[in-house]
Amino acid sequence: MRIGLVMEGGAMRGMFTAGVIDVMMENGIEYDGAVGVSAGAAFGCNYKSRQIGRVIRYNKKYCRDKEFVSLRSLIFTGDLYGVDFAYRKIPLELDIFDIEAYRSNPMEFYVVATDMDTGLPVYRLCPDGGTEDLDWIRASASMPVVSRPVVIDGQKLSDGGTSDSIPLKFMEEKGYQANVVILTQPEGFRKEMAKHFGAVKLMLRKYPKLVEALKNRPEMYNAETAYVKERVEAGAAFAICPPKSLEIERVCRDPEELERVYQIGRETMEGKLEELKAFISRKRAE
């Protein structure tokens, strides 16, 4: 029985995921594989490197740094989150990402990005945590409009949440018969078309397939949450979600807000810990 971990994105709702995975790691819970989407990729990679507390630590420390995230960065570089600071300076100098621990952990780690020309999801195994893997993680977390396309081997990539927000089916297709799914919206949430879709459509007019994927995203997302529920009821999945809407901005420069959402993740996971352990134990025995 191979057990997987699926981590939804959601920008700074990802602080909830950070709290959940820290409690999991503190309790020695291990998975055979994991997949992260957007913030789920950027934060979830720390599960493979076994770095408890790193996500909340660097986000709180640098959330007010203009090099990390700012309108100035967006205007002058085309990226709301400064690429050099977020994906080089922080992991290589300021709050070091443990590449050796990442490589030594046998857990497979996948990320999801969206091909901007086709609007389709692209899945990538990131085995070593090196420069190319960081580029794929950045691609997965590159929100349309406020991020430049991430070009890898000639392929223009952006946020994986556009095309596959909750890749549970992907993990099942990879042979993970049981999966733990971390959602960043409460149970029963249904996505609706973004109010600013018209403006987004105009700004992304060079990528009609990407626009189509964004238009279809609510339908896709709601179908995926319904599938998660179906698999939970079948005993093949275990879902963890916030008790209510997290009500945090997609871009948050308030350390106390980040801590608040992180603590909700911790409290939610602590409340489900014994149930999760029983689920994993039962599946390992099958």
Side-chain angles (χ1 to χ4, degrees):
M1 178 67 71
R2 300 178 79 202
I3 299 179
L5 176 64
V6 179
M7 292 169 281
E8 181 190 357
M12 285 302 104
R13 295 199 310 273
M15 287 298 107
F16 174 83
T17 300
V20 170
I21 65 176
D22 276 356
V23 172
M24 287 180 178
M25 287 190 283
E26 289 165 1
N27 285 274
I29 295 173
E30 296 188 356
Y31 298 94
D32 301 297
V35 60
V37 183
S38 194
F43 301 160
C45 62
N46 291 277
Y47 210 117
K48 185 168 168 63
S49 64
R50 296 189 171 98
Q51 289 179 275
I52 298 169
R54 180 173 179 269
V55 175
I56 186 63
R57 183 175 63 241
Y58 77 74
N59 274 281
K60 285 179 65 177
K61 187 172 183 178
Y62 299 112
C63 65
R64 288 177 173 164
D65 193 311
K66 292 181 180 179
E67 287 189 79
F68 183 46
V69 56
S70 65
L71 182 60
R72 181 181 183 278
S73 176
L74 178 61
I75 292 171
F76 286 99
T77 71
D79 289 293
L80 183 64
Y81 282 85
V83 171
D84 184 67
F85 192 85
Y87 292 94
R88 188 196 65 77
K89 199 167 184 178
I90 288 179
L92 301 181
E93 299 176 17
L94 300 176
D95 197 321
I96 294 175
F97 181 62
D98 193 337
I99 294 176
E100 290 306 315
Y102 183 98
R103 291 173 179 170
S104 66
N105 187 343
M107 181 184 81
E108 294 181 333
F109 187 73
Y110 295 89
V111 302
V112 187
T114 299
D115 185 312
M116 296 179 69
D117 290 318
T118 67
L120 298 175
V122 182
Y123 306 94
R124 170 77 178 191
L125 176 64
C126 295
D128 62 22
T131 301
E132 189 171 0
D133 283 357
L134 289 179
D135 283 343
W136 276 95
I137 291 169
R138 177 164 65 92
S140 181
S142 292
M143 295 180 287
V145 179
V146 296
S147 305
R148 289 173 295 173
V150 178
V151 182
I152 303 176
D153 295 331
Q155 194 172 30
K156 293 181 180 179
L157 302 166
S158 72
D159 197 323
T162 300
S163 54
D164 192 352
S165 297
I166 310 167
L168 173 56
K169 286 185 178 181
F170 164 77
M171 288 298 279
E172 291 178 338
E173 289 167 0
K174 296 298 291 185
Y176 292 89
Q177 303 100 318
N179 291 277
V180 175
V181 184
I182 304 175
L183 303 172
T184 59
Q185 296 284 12
E187 185 176 359
F189 172 82
R190 289 188 61 80
K191 185 174 287 294
E192 298 178 355
M193 181 66 68
K195 295 178 181 178
H196 56 273
F197 177 72
V200 170
K201 181 178 179 180
L202 180 63
M203 288 184 277
L204 295 175
R205 59 188 178 279
K206 292 182 179 179
Y207 304 101
K209 294 294 185 180
L210 182 65
V211 170
E212 184 179 354
L214 286 165
K215 180 181 179 181
N216 295 333
R217 191 184 180 201
E219 181 180 354
M220 174 270 291
Y221 183 89
N222 295 334
E224 290 191 334
T225 55
Y227 185 70
V228 171
K229 183 178 181 181
E230 176 186 322
R231 298 304 285 157
V232 168
E233 291 173 349
F238 186 98
I240 303 158
C241 62
K244 61 181 181 179
S245 176
L246 295 170
E247 297 184 353
I248 187 170
E249 298 291 335
R250 292 183 65 80
V251 177
C252 178
R253 305 189 69 187
D254 182 348
E256 292 184 3
E257 268 294 278
L258 298 176
E259 180 70 26
R260 177 185 67 82
V261 174
Y262 171 77
Q263 289 299 332
I264 293 173
R266 289 192 60 90
E267 291 164 9
T268 300
M269 187 64 258
E270 287 166 354
K272 286 183 167 286
L273 190 57
E274 295 309 313
E275 189 181 353
L276 174 63
K277 288 180 178 178
F279 172 81
I280 292 174
S281 179
R282 184 168 65 252
K283 289 301 176 183
R284 293 288 189 201
E286 289 182 4

